[in-house]
Amino acid sequence: MTSREIVVDITPPSEPVLSAGLAPSFDYTRSTGPVLGAFFTGLRERRLVGNRDSRGTVHLPPVEYDPHTREALTETVEVGSGDGIEGLVVAWSWVPSPTDVNPLDSPFAWVLVRFDGADTAMLLPLAADGPDAVSTGMRVHLRWSAERTGTVHDIACVVPADAAGDAAGNGDDDEAPRSHDEPVTGVVTPIGLSVTHTAGPAESEFLRAIVQGRMLGRRRSNGPEVYVPPRDYCPSDGVAMGEYVEVSDVGTVTTFGIVNVPFAGQQITPPYVTAYILLDGSDVPIQHLVLGCEASEVRMGMRVRAVWNPEEERPASMKAIAHFEPTGDPDADPATYSKHL
């Protein structure tokens, strides 16, 4: 058989394939610095604040450093304020089917708008009746959000300058009074990703077992090692894995870290320990929490056992195990885990 005649024998699963939606997310918090802070503070007050570089170009949004001299920029420029702000579309792309992460829930266009008084363009949503109503060079009118907090979302969108009913703006005064609130010094940007994860055959066997309160591994075809969670193919030689093996829910801490820093969404009050645990009968440690003792008491070689959630509450994930806790047994001989660090 040549390399071009590889035969793959795929056995259909005997049980339904497991899949689940996953949505990892976090809030990215950043400080703005003086330049972007002035821009976001201006948005909160219905003002567009840019800045000027050494060649006289007015940047909106502002940039922190001169693109020609690389020096910090300090000259701010108020491009416009209130309801009378208009600009020119320099590029656009139609969005026929908005998703839940888009700023508008009906079809719209992303447009680069160069506002009057600025030399650069910024990306904003354009509310229009359809792609035929959008063109490069069209005049647009800025529409502010009713509630403004000092983020780019303080601009609701832009609309065609001749849109009926928009000539008078959004009902606010043309004057944009300066606020006496503290200037904006930071912004929070939610970051998220939605995916559907489909488990392979071995992962599905593992997940079905963990719901039953069992830890399942799989032995290599070309060696005695048992991997937990089980794989379909060996990461060492690419050969299909062998028999499934049920391992203990008791094991040994091989390495660990103490979490001392609080963060958004944290469900356990620091300090606490996350550790790699080598289950008896396995050759690959798993990662989990070690609770039930002071964080300072956790050590390499400590013997721990799984604390399972009640059977009726166990999800098909590692959350079926609430955490691990010390067994109280003597520490393991380092020789038993030194090759599994």
Side-chain angles (χ1 to χ4, degrees):
M1 183 174 63
T2 69
S3 60
R4 295 181 177 275
E5 296 173 335
I6 298 174
V7 177
V8 179
D9 182 16
I10 300 176
T11 303
S14 58
E15 297 184 77
V17 175
L18 297 179
S19 66
L22 302 176
S25 64
F26 71 98
D27 287 341
Y28 175 59
T29 303
R30 63 160 292 180
S31 55
T32 58
V35 174
L36 294 179
F39 172 68
F40 290 122
T41 300
L43 293 181
R44 191 179 62 192
E45 299 172 349
R46 296 195 301 132
R47 297 185 294 115
L48 293 183
V49 177
N51 60 2
R52 194 187 314 274
D53 68 21
S54 60
R55 296 186 182 180
T57 300
V58 175
H59 296 266
L60 183 74
V63 294
E64 294 176 293
Y65 296 94
D66 193 306
H68 312 292
T69 66
R70 297 178 294 282
E71 298 291 331
L73 292 178
T74 58
E75 182 184 353
T76 60
V77 177
E78 183 166 307
V79 173
S81 66
D83 291 333
I85 302 175
E86 293 192 357
L88 194 73
V89 171
V90 297
W92 60 280
S93 178
W94 187 250
V95 182
S97 303
T99 67
D100 55 1
V101 299
N102 287 135
L104 302 179
D105 56 10
S106 57
F108 70 100
W110 281 115
V111 294
L112 281 173
V113 181
R114 185 171 66 240
F115 287 104
D116 299 347
D119 296 301
T120 63
M122 63 182 297
L123 184 68
L124 290 169
L126 166 65
D129 293 335
D132 292 340
V134 184
S135 62
T136 300
M138 70 181 291
R139 299 282 298 171
V140 292
H141 184 98
L142 186 147
R143 181 178 288 174
W144 295 102
S145 297
E147 296 183 2
R148 297 174 294 278
T149 58
T151 74
V152 73
H153 300 296
D154 292 348
I155 300 176
C157 62
V158 292
V159 298
D162 57 357
D166 214 72
N170 57 12
D172 290 329
D173 296 334
D174 286 341
E175 294 293 330
R178 295 175 184 273
S179 170
H180 296 291
D181 295 338
E182 294 294 323
V184 176
T185 57
V187 293
V188 177
T189 303
I191 306 294
L193 176 68
S194 297
V195 298
T196 299
H197 173 71
T198 300
E203 186 181 4
S204 294
E205 292 291 336
F206 174 77
L207 295 175
R208 291 191 176 94
I210 204 170
V211 171
Q212 300 168 1
R214 300 184 297 120
M215 294 299 292
L216 198 65
R218 200 171 188 183
R219 194 183 308 281
R220 294 182 60 210
S221 296
N222 293 329
E225 294 86 359
V226 173
Y227 293 163
V228 177
R231 278 71 161 172
D232 290 303
Y233 294 91
C234 180
S236 298
D237 54 24
V239 175
M241 295 288 288
E243 64 179 335
Y244 285 99
V245 179
E246 185 170 336
V247 303
S248 175
D249 64 355
V250 175
T252 300
V253 173
T254 59
T255 57
F256 67 97
I258 300 177
V259 179
N260 288 296
V261 180
F263 54 84
Q266 197 171 38
Q267 297 179 351
I268 303 173
T269 302
Y272 61 91
V273 171
T274 176
Y276 278 96
I277 300 163
L278 183 66
L279 298 176
D280 296 351
S282 171
D283 291 280
V284 179
I286 63 171
Q287 187 177 20
H288 218 295
L289 300 169
V290 175
L291 305 178
C293 66
E294 295 294 330
S296 58
E297 296 177 3
V298 178
R299 57 197 178 274
M300 296 173 69
M302 175 182 249
R303 298 285 290 163
V304 293
R305 68 163 64 89
V307 177
W308 295 88
N309 280 312
E311 184 172 357
E312 62 276 12
E313 299 176 8
R314 284 181 203 148
S317 76
M318 289 300 288
K319 288 186 175 180
I321 299 174
H323 59 270
F324 282 75
E325 66 178 9
T327 64
D329 296 331
D331 288 358
D333 184 339
T336 62
Y337 61 85
S338 61
K339 296 183 179 179
H340 304 278
L341 300 178

